[in-house]
Each structure stands twice: as structure tokens, then as C-alpha cells.
């Protein structure tokens, strides 16, 4: 893996009267690169960048790859006192943070983006505003609407053993989704549709450990699990705005992904310059499950000739 630098980017947050920052990890040198930098935006919301580190393999070919931990998670400023505050943890906060990151790095006039899961949702919204500097976009493992996501999750849940379904339903109905029994049942879903590698890659495990330590953002915006959405994200949708994405866009999912074809298809149908690649041996994390092919597909799209 290429050398990297770590920085803390100051982030002025409304209604927060203490210094805040966004943690950023940069592979390569922005001052010497001849290639357009790539900003990688992680999912969650409330996760961290570690589980996307295979994308840094692109740095071996001279691409500067920029990761950051979104505000409220990872190694960035945490605000557990804002847990449950749905008026604070909103999409616009994270769009403002992204703008702050690219401006601080001085790349706001020319960059590519890869957003995964929630990060792809967020960057889909960003791209729909047609920012001047965005050149190409990768939306990886992301739904075009959360209503479709829930429908897909319900379909996949119905394929689980009946006792697992019963356990999940019991705790969701009782409001005891923080119980170990619920977490164990939830893991069976994750093993099938989130990451199929055993043992789980350490970079992925780090993300889940950090989320366990502080789930403020995830639990407030999303809810207790990938398939039990109780937060305001349950109403999130890009169905009316996806057609505004003007840049060439690559859509990615896995054959066993919780982001089933049904949640990706609306992106493809609406974005004028869209391509779509499904990894046949992957679920939600093809960057690990089919790492070499994943990096190749992304590299060819971002830095090769474009054709639909």
C-alpha cells in the first residue's frame, strides 16, 4: 500500500460551540500527481473509511486517493450528546462537510468521487446539484430510495431460517434491538449480504467496533440495523433528482448484495450517462470480496475512455 498522510480538517458546525474537525487520510501527493484525485466517501451513516481501504490500491498507479471519516464517526469529532437529534444529523450537514473537505484540499475544481452505500446516496445528491469540479462518479452498493431498500431487505429476510426471522421480529416489536440475541441474528443476515468473507477482514471489523462504541449518527439517522429503518432516512429518495446527475456515473453492486438490483435500477434508468457492473461473487463489499477485479473496474471507468 502506498504511503499516506493524515490530517485534521477544521469544520465549523452550526450550533456546536467547540472546535470540530474531519479526519482525512491521503494516499499519494496532491502537489505532484498528474491524475485527477479520487475522494472516497464511506457508508453508514456513522461508519469510518477503513473498510474502503482497498480502493487505495489505485494509488499504486499514481492516483491520489483521499479518504475521510464523516463527522460524528470514526476518528473525526464525535457528538454523543446529539444522539437522537434528528434536526441536527441531516443530509445537508454531510454535504457541507464534503464541500469543506474538497475546498480545504484545494481540489474543488477537479476531482472524482466514489461513494459507497450511504456514501453513494450522499454523493448522488451532491452530483445532482451539478458541482463544477466533479468529473466522474462511482455509486457503489447504494439504493436510489430507502423505500426500495426496505422492500429489498424484506425479500432477503424472508430467505433466512424461520427461527432467525422470529428472533429479529421479536426484538424489533419489543424494542430490544440492543440485545445480544438480536445482534447474533442480525449477523446471519450480514454474513450473507454485507460481507461474505470469513473471517471478516480486520478493516471491516474496525468499522463495526467503532460503530458499537458510538452509534449516535447511525442510530439517529438510520435505526438499529440495515433492515430495520426507524430514523428519518426511511423517507430518503433520489428518484426525482437522479436525472440531474450530468457526469458519467458507474453503478456497482454484488450479486448477493443487500443493495439488490431493484434498488440500483432506478439510478441506471434515470442518470443519462450511467454504466452498471455487478460483481458475481460479492455481496455489499466487493472491494474485499473481489478486490483485484473491483480496482480494475473502477480504474478503467475513472481513468479510461468512457462509453455507456
Amino acid at each position: 500500500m502506498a504511503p499516506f498522510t493524515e490530517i485534521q480538517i477544521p469544520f465549523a458546525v452550526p450550533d456546536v460551540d467547540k472546535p470540530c474537525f474531519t479526519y482525512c487520510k491521503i494516499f499519494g501527493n496532491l502537489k505532484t500527481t498528474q491524475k485527477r484525485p479520487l475522494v472516497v466517501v464511506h457508508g453508514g451513516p456513522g461508519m469510518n473509511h477503513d473498510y474502503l481501504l482497498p480502493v487505495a490500491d489505485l494509488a499504486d498507479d499514481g492516483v491520489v486517493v483521499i479518504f475521510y471519516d464523516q463527522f460524528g464517526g470514526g476518528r473525526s469529532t464525535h457528538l454523543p450528546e446529539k444522539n437522537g437529534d434528528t434536526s441536527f444529523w441531516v443530509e445537508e450537514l454531510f454535504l457541507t462537510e464534503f464541500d469543506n473537505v474538497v475546498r480545504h484540499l484545494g481540489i474543488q475544481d477537479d476531482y472524482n468521487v466514489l461513494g459507497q452505500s450511504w456514501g453513494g446516496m450522499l454523493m448522488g445528491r451532491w452530483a445532482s446539484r451539478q458541482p463544477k469540479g466533479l468529473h466522474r462518479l462511482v455509486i457503489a452498493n447504494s439504493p436510489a430510495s430507502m423505500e426500495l431498500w426496505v422492500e429489498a431487505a424484506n425479500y432477503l429476510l424472508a430467505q433466512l431460517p424461520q427461527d432467525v426471522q422470529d428472533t429479529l421480529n421479536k426484538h424489533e416489536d419489543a424494542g430490544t434491538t440492543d440485545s445480544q440475541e438480536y445482534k447474533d441474528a442480525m449477523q446471519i443476515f450480514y454474513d450473507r449480504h454485507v460481507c461474505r468473507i470469513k473471517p471478516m477482514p480486520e478493516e471491516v471489523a474496525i468499522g463495526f467496533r467503532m460503530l458499537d462504541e458510538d452509534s449516535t449518527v447511525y442510530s439517529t439517522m438510520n435505526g438499529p440495523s440495515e433492515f430495520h429503518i426507524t430514523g428519518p432516512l426511511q423517507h430518503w429518495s433520489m428518484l426525482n433528482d437522479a436525472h440531474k446527475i450530468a457526469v458519467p456515473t458507474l453503478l456497482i453492486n454484488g450479486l448477493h448484495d443487500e443493495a439488490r438490483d431493484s434498488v440500483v435500477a432506478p439510478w441506471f434508468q434515470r442518470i443519462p450517462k450511467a454504466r452498471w457492473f455487478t460483481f458475481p461473487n460479492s455481496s455489499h463489499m466487493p472491494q474485499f470480496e473481489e478486490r483485484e477485479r473491483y480496482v480494475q473496474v473502477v480504474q478503467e471507468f475513472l481513468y479510461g475512455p468512457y462509453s455507456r
Side-chain angles (χ1 to χ4, degrees):
M1 189 170 286
F4 62 84
T5 56
E6 299 172 282
I7 62 173
Q8 293 182 344
I9 299 175
F11 182 35
V13 183
D15 302 321
V16 176
D17 57 1
K18 70 176 184 180
C20 297
F21 67 88
T22 300
Y23 167 90
C24 187
K25 180 182 287 185
I26 305 169
F27 288 82
N29 191 328
L30 283 169
K31 294 181 180 179
T32 61
T33 184
Q34 299 299 308
K35 296 190 175 183
R36 184 174 288 109
L38 173 64
V39 186
V40 182
V41 185
H42 67 73
M47 283 287 283
N48 57 292
H49 78 279
D50 295 70
Y51 77 94
L52 287 168
L53 281 173
V55 183
D57 291 353
L58 288 168
D60 295 337
D61 195 43
V63 178
V64 174
V65 186
I66 300 161
F67 300 87
Y68 70 99
D69 288 350
Q70 293 166 34
F71 185 68
R75 300 161 188 82
S76 295
T77 301
H78 286 236
L79 291 178
E81 63 272 25
K82 294 285 190 180
N83 192 13
D85 189 344
T86 56
S87 65
F88 180 82
W89 298 111
V90 294
E91 181 184 58
E92 197 63 35
L93 172 67
F94 297 101
L95 292 170
T96 301
E97 179 184 35
F98 177 83
D99 185 57
N100 185 62
V101 168
V102 297
R103 289 185 182 280
H104 181 90
L105 297 175
I107 61 172
Q108 69 274 12
D109 293 329
D110 195 23
Y111 59 92
N112 292 324
V113 164
L114 185 154
Q116 195 273 344
S117 198
W118 152 252
M121 295 160 61
L122 191 68
M123 289 299 99
R125 182 77 69 195
W126 176 257
S128 74
R129 299 179 178 182
Q130 302 182 2
K132 183 180 71 168
L134 179 60
H135 184 71
R136 292 191 180 181
L137 170 67
V138 180
I139 297 177
N141 320 96
S142 307
S145 87
M146 288 302 283
E147 181 178 349
L148 292 173
W149 177 269
V150 171
E151 289 177 3
N154 287 337
Y155 173 86
L156 295 174
L157 287 168
Q159 316 304 312
L160 296 177
Q162 190 60 51
D163 62 326
V164 176
Q165 295 183 52
D166 293 343
T167 298
L168 293 169
N169 291 332
K170 177 183 71 174
H171 288 289
E172 288 169 4
D173 291 343
T176 52
T177 53
D178 57 348
S179 71
Q180 190 58 48
E181 186 181 41
Y182 182 81
K183 292 177 181 178
D184 291 343
M186 185 172 65
Q187 190 62 46
I188 295 171
F189 178 90
Y190 287 5
D191 289 345
R192 292 188 180 192
H193 302 297
V194 177
C195 184
R196 295 164 68 88
I197 297 176
K198 295 299 174 189
M200 181 183 293
E202 179 58 20
E203 295 91 339
V204 180
I206 287 171
F208 282 116
R209 286 200 296 269
M210 285 189 170
L211 194 60
D212 281 341
E213 291 169 4
D214 182 7
S215 64
T216 296
V217 182
Y218 185 83
S219 61
T220 301
M221 295 184 70
N222 187 82
S225 72
E226 295 290 281
F227 44 80
H228 187 48
I229 316 297
T230 58
L233 276 187
Q234 64 184 302
H235 306 298
W236 187 93
S237 176
M238 272 289 294
L239 296 180
N240 293 329
D241 290 329
H243 71 280
K244 300 176 185 176
I245 298 175
V247 297
T249 301
L250 173 65
L251 306 167
I252 284 173
N253 71 334
L255 184 63
H256 308 286
D257 204 336
E258 56 182 339
R260 300 183 70 229
D261 287 358
S262 59
V263 311
V264 179
W267 291 116
F268 186 70
Q269 293 159 355
R270 288 165 171 77
I271 298 173
K273 300 177 183 178
R275 300 174 69 183
W276 183 359
F277 191 93
T278 298
F279 288 87
N281 299 309
S282 294
S283 58
H284 202 52
M285 297 194 180
Q287 72 272 16
F288 277 108
E289 295 161 305
E290 296 179 68
R291 181 170 182 160
E292 185 175 341
R293 181 65 173 136
Y294 182 94
V295 173
Q296 179 186 19
V297 167
V298 170
Q299 183 177 42
E300 289 177 354
F301 170 73
L302 292 178
Y303 301 102
Y306 176 78
S307 60
R308 177 155 183 154

